[in-house]
Amino acid sequence: MTDFQATRARFRIPDGVIYLDGNSLGPLPVAAEERVARTLTAEWGGQLIRGWNSAGWMVQPRVVGDRIARLIGAPAGSVVVGDTLSIKVYQALAAALAMRPDRRVILSDSGNFPTDLYMAEGLIETLGRGHVLKVVAPEEVERAIGEDVAVLMLTEVDYRTGRLHDMAALTSKAHAAGVVTVWDLAHSAGALPVDLAGSGADFAVGCTYKYLNGGPGAPAFIYVAPGHAQTARPALSGWMGHEAPFAFDPSYRPGEGVERMRVGTPPVIALAALDAALDVWDGVDMADVRRTSIALCDLFIELVEAQCPALELASPRDGTRRGSQVSFRHPHGYAVMQALIDRGVIGDFRAPDILRFGLTPLYIGEAEVRGAVAVLRQVMDGGLWDRPDYHRKAAVT
């Protein structure tokens, strides 16, 4: 059994704060402080440019990728880290489309994160080959899979409601129709068990600053199924994806396997923080995480519905059909969330009316759930959210 008391001690969370926003930005792992300091002083400061070889900076994207692979059901050598999630979406989608040159439809759903849809729109315009982006309701995805579809591009867990797609079933249906799959694991990796190899997924991408706690702006990852790794076309043919970057050839030759999906110079300091954050997962059983997450979310729903009837559940009630978050609706959700944050309970808001709460067993337990609901009840019963400053939206919600 995973010792969640021990994992909780490995994070720096301010006194008096109940942090329910790890689904947006994970808290600081204590080990990351020392690791980043060492990277700055002993490596960059002491070794200077020699650090690319002597400190292993050049191989960080692959080494850290293998650590993430263990958490998402991927084999070693199939995941590489670097750049941003938007870039990785673009790469995966471009490679997937190249595998189906005779088809023109990209199928996604209205619960997908907007940047994925934006990247698809941009790629379609760049290619200029008549591709179309078809967006359907989440429950209509399976019926919309057909032989006209080139790529099925979905986020496994809906960022607003936490609704969970059945990756294995949809991938199987897609493959039966000759469709290539691209899965976004931004709200899955570190939140619930993922089995990319077992499900047969073709490509997957994800960020590392949410449940993996890599820090603000931490680099993203991309997975390429081993069967595609030697043939996937790297649309962004950056020098780090070259077969021999320091040969400085005038023409591009793709690197071996998933290495070809590297683009720019590795963000060494950010990768050091992420690598230290992944230490927390040593000895953690994802089945324990999932079981405890469902129990905490179920308790949260039960207490909120009993004590705060003005809030409407937006997430699936069945824990097996959602990720590791719970969302409620309220017409003044932004103001309610600001009142909560002002009182030490940190969640976040998503337009138009969603209050999101991430419940992560690594550092959240039953006491935090009960404490958060007690504060929420005070805010709702007393109308404490209805202050002008709580209604004034900041740049980041």
Side-chain angles (χ1 to χ4, degrees):
M1 292 288 290
T2 302
D3 183 351
F4 290 120
Q5 291 294 330
T7 60
R8 188 177 312 184
R10 302 182 74 169
F11 291 94
R12 189 174 301 286
I13 298 176
D15 291 341
V17 168
I18 299 175
Y19 192 66
L20 305 182
D21 208 15
N23 54 318
S24 188
L25 174 67
L28 172 66
V30 174
E33 300 178 44
E34 185 277 331
R35 178 62 184 278
V36 169
R38 186 171 79 241
T39 300
L40 289 171
T41 56
E43 294 178 10
W44 181 15
Q47 300 176 43
L48 298 170
I49 200 169
R50 293 172 295 177
W52 286 108
N53 293 314
S54 57
W57 295 346
M58 192 65 175
V59 298
Q60 276 181 315
R62 185 173 66 250
V63 171
V64 176
D66 281 346
R67 300 192 74 185
I68 293 173
R70 183 183 73 83
L71 300 175
I72 57 176
S78 63
V79 177
V80 71
V81 182
D83 315 299
T84 68
L85 180 53
S86 295
I87 288 174
K88 293 310 179 195
V89 169
Y90 191 97
Q91 285 184 284
L93 182 56
L97 286 175
M99 293 169 61
R100 296 294 182 267
D102 57 332
R103 300 189 184 193
R104 292 292 180 268
V105 177
I106 301 167
L107 177 61
S108 192
D109 76 347
S110 56
N112 207 346
F113 192 69
T115 195
D116 294 32
L117 303 180
Y118 302 161
M119 298 308 288
E121 291 174 344
L123 179 57
I124 286 170
E125 185 175 352
T126 298
L127 291 174
R129 297 176 189 165
H131 289 92
V132 296
L133 174 62
K134 181 178 180 180
V135 178
V136 301
E139 58 271 19
E140 296 295 324
V141 169
E142 185 172 359
R143 282 192 289 271
I145 296 172
E147 294 185 358
D148 60 330
V149 176
V151 178
L152 174 64
M153 180 184 70
L154 297 172
T155 297
E156 188 182 22
V157 176
D158 188 311
Y159 76 103
R160 288 171 300 191
T161 67
R163 175 201 39 77
L164 174 66
H165 275 306
D166 187 333
M167 179 189 291
L170 289 175
T171 298
S172 177
K173 178 71 181 289
H175 286 173
V179 178
V180 182
T181 58
V182 175
W183 288 94
D184 185 334
L185 307 179
H187 291 269
S188 306
L192 49 86
V194 178
D195 186 7
L196 290 176
S199 70
D202 297 297
F203 297 90
V205 297
C207 61
T208 62
Y209 46 79
K210 303 183 191 302
Y211 295 97
L212 297 182
N213 311 298
F221 64 85
I222 185 169
Y223 161 83
V224 181
H228 305 320
Q230 287 297 111
T231 56
R233 178 180 176 273
L236 299 174
S237 45
W239 78 303
M240 283 292 165
H242 192 281
E243 182 183 51
F246 286 89
F248 299 111
D249 289 340
S251 298
Y252 180 80
R253 301 194 312 274
E256 284 291 308
V258 76
E259 286 282 312
R260 66 185 58 198
M261 293 300 180
R262 292 176 63 168
V263 181
T265 304
V268 171
I269 298 169
L271 279 166
L274 173 57
D275 193 30
L278 291 170
D279 289 347
V280 175
W281 294 94
D282 293 340
V284 171
D285 186 328
M286 284 306 303
D288 293 340
V289 171
R290 180 61 169 159
R291 182 176 57 255
T292 307
S293 165
I294 290 174
L296 291 173
C297 290
D298 285 348
L299 176 62
F300 189 76
I301 291 170
E302 175 189 343
L303 295 175
V304 171
E305 290 191 325
Q307 300 181 38
C308 307
L311 299 180
E312 175 191 355
L313 181 65
S315 299
R317 191 172 298 278
D318 179 354
T320 64
R321 296 182 54 242
R322 65 172 182 258
S324 195
Q325 72 176 63
V326 173
S327 298
F328 283 90
R329 289 191 172 93
H330 188 275
H332 299 285
Y334 180 80
V336 172
M337 184 55 71
Q338 299 317 299
L340 281 174
I341 293 171
D342 210 18
R343 289 159 178 80
V345 177
I346 300 179
D348 66 15
F349 170 81
R350 290 295 177 264
D353 58 358
I354 295 286
L355 295 96
R356 297 196 312 173
F357 303 92
L359 291 101
T360 307
L362 294 187
Y363 50 84
I364 294 295
E366 183 176 327
E368 286 78 16
V369 169
R370 293 186 181 278
V373 176
V375 175
L376 180 57
R377 180 177 182 174
Q378 293 172 5
V379 167
M380 300 307 298
D381 285 353
L384 305 180
W385 54 268
D386 200 10
R387 283 176 22 184
D389 53 326
Y390 292 157
H391 289 270
R392 194 176 304 116
K393 288 188 178 179
V396 177
T397 63

